[in-house]
Structure formats: structure tokens, C-alpha cells
Amino acid sequence: MSNGVVVKDARLVVELSCSQEHHIKVLEDSSIIVEEGVITCIGNSCSPPRGLDRIDAKNYIVLPAYIDGHTHTGSIINSLTGRGSSVCNFDGEHVADQKLVSKAAKIACILTLISGGVGIIDMYHYPEEVVKVCRELGLYVATGPGIGIKSVFSTVAFADRFRQDRGVIPLLNILTVDPIRIDIVKEYLEKAKSDQMRAHAHIAMTKSEVFEFRKRTGTVSYTHLRAHETSLH
């Protein structure tokens, strides 16, 4: 069994800028060497060791994968059933069960893989089911229970269970926080800090809320939350 792979003679997109110049750096006729899950060489001067699987990528383009910065994997149930938000919403009253969330998460994660994604930052009920699906499909995932999220684990228990998992980043998910109640926002962030977890939050859902939040605090919700040195959406 091979311990790695070499992708030969590909056209590699190694740098992409979304600035006004739209800069793209491309390496022609180049190789990628992966040994034991680690990229050890990129370019046209790589010398692959013997025993690696080889992929001839001539006339193919190789792009970096992406991580989807905010997903609700289970909410695809709404589209599948045609019943709208009444089937799976965040009011805690009509949420689907774990089995249905698991099936929906698998569909959503497969679509992520098809479109070139390698990971998701997810906010939905029963995050442990999403973790199972991501492990099965080989996706990285950042997720967790929290405020307004149904789960069989507490936030601390979830973090303790998955903290050492290389493919999982435990989060405190903060759903639909009223952006005007800055005291509540601070309370949630302090909880994330005390539990040694990152936070992932929905703060402003409408333009009017963003405007009101800025009027009351002098800043927009995202920059305000980053000031607390907490990683979040």
C-alpha cells in the first residue's frame, strides 16, 4: 500500500487575489507530492520518491480547496421535503430528529465535496451527527452545541469529547442573538472563553439590525466581536 501520491504535470493555481488587480499565480507543468498525508513539495523541480501512487494531471487544473465559513447542513431538509422552515427551524419547537439531521448533513457535505470544499463551519441542531458525517466523508468540521442548538451534549462535554480530534474544532454556537442586547453578547463570549471554546455566532440578521447595533455601540457587530479575541463568524 502506497504512503503517498504524486500529481504530475498539472497546471497549479497557487495564489489568487480578489483585489482590484485580480492577481492569479499559476505554475505550469508542475507536480504536487503528498507523503503520509502531508504536502512535501509543490512546483516543477520536485523529485518524487519511489513507491508513490502517480496521477497524470496533464491538461488539468489543480486549485486549492476551500472551507465553507458558515453552513446549516441540516436545513437542507426544508428543500427536500418542500415544507419550508416549519420542518426544521431554530425555534426549538419543530426541529427534526437526529436521524433526519444526519441524512440531511450527509447530502449537504457531499455537495460541499463535489464543489471542492474540504471543511465546514456549521451551526445546526445535533452537531454530533454532523461530526459523524464529516468523519465518514473526510471533511474537516468546526461545530458544536450552544445557545438555541439542540444536542445530546452540553457545550463542555462536546468540547471534551472532540478537542483532541484532529478533524474537529469544537465551537460554542450562538444562534440568533439580539444584536441590540450587547450585555447578552458579552455574556456568551465570556462563556466561550471560560469553556476554552471558540464562538460562532449569528448576530445581525438584517440591515436595520446592523444599523441599530452600530448606532448604539459605535461599531459593527463583526468588529465588535473580534475585539473580544474570539474567533467567530
Side-chain angles (χ1 to χ4, degrees):
M1 181 177 176
S2 173
N3 290 325
V5 63
V6 54
V7 180
K8 292 282 294 180
D9 301 323
R11 189 179 193 195
L12 307 181
V13 178
V14 295
E15 186 177 327
L16 177 62
S17 172
C18 295
S19 64
Q20 294 181 351
E21 292 79 13
H22 297 292
H23 174 69
I24 300 177
K25 183 178 179 180
V26 177
L27 300 179
E28 302 286 353
D29 300 320
S30 295
S31 299
I32 302 175
I33 297 177
V34 181
E35 299 178 78
E36 296 183 354
V38 177
I39 296 176
T40 58
C41 186
I42 296 177
N44 47 27
S45 59
C46 296
S47 299
R50 293 182 177 181
L52 299 185
D53 293 332
R54 292 175 177 263
I55 298 175
D56 183 4
K58 190 72 174 178
N59 300 321
Y60 287 88
I61 297 174
V62 178
L63 296 166
Y66 72 93
I67 293 176
D68 195 327
H70 184 74
T71 59
H72 299 294
T73 53
S75 65
I76 198 172
I77 300 170
N78 300 331
S79 301
L80 297 176
T81 60
R83 298 182 186 178
S85 60
S86 63
V87 176
C88 262
N89 54 32
F90 285 109
D91 63 10
E93 299 298 329
H94 304 290
V95 65
D97 60 24
Q98 291 173 254
K99 187 176 181 180
L100 192 54
V101 169
S102 177
K103 290 181 178 180
K106 181 170 289 190
I107 294 171
C109 288
I110 288 173
L111 291 175
T112 297
L113 287 168
I114 290 173
S115 60
V118 295
I120 60 174
I121 301 176
D122 192 63
M123 174 184 288
Y124 205 72
H125 298 292
Y126 303 112
E128 55 275 8
E129 298 298 328
V130 178
V131 169
K132 290 179 185 177
V133 169
C134 288
R135 280 173 161 174
E136 179 184 344
L137 296 177
L139 280 172
Y140 292 97
V141 58
T143 189
I147 313 303
I149 305 291
K150 284 183 175 290
S151 172
V152 299
F153 295 103
S154 69
T155 54
V156 175
F158 186 92
D160 289 343
R161 178 172 181 177
F162 296 111
R163 201 184 301 278
Q164 302 304 318
D165 193 312
R166 187 170 177 267
V168 181
I169 298 177
L171 296 176
L172 173 65
N173 269 316
I174 307 170
L175 174 69
T176 316
V177 177
D178 181 353
I180 311 306
R181 293 293 306 279
I182 193 66
D183 55 328
I184 295 180
V185 175
K186 289 180 178 179
E187 179 184 335
Y188 291 160
L189 291 177
E190 286 301 319
K191 176 173 174 54
K193 185 176 181 180
S194 66
D195 292 345
Q196 298 182 323
M197 298 179 70
R198 299 180 182 182
H200 178 217
H202 265 160
I203 299 300
M205 303 297 288
T206 66
K207 290 183 178 179
S208 61
E209 288 179 338
V210 174
F211 175 79
E212 187 66 24
F213 189 93
R214 184 170 185 175
K215 184 172 71 173
R216 294 196 180 205
T217 66
T219 183
V220 296
S221 56
Y222 181 70
T223 54
H224 175 83
L225 294 169
R226 287 199 61 183
H228 288 76
E229 299 182 355
T230 305
S231 300
L232 45 80
H233 168 75

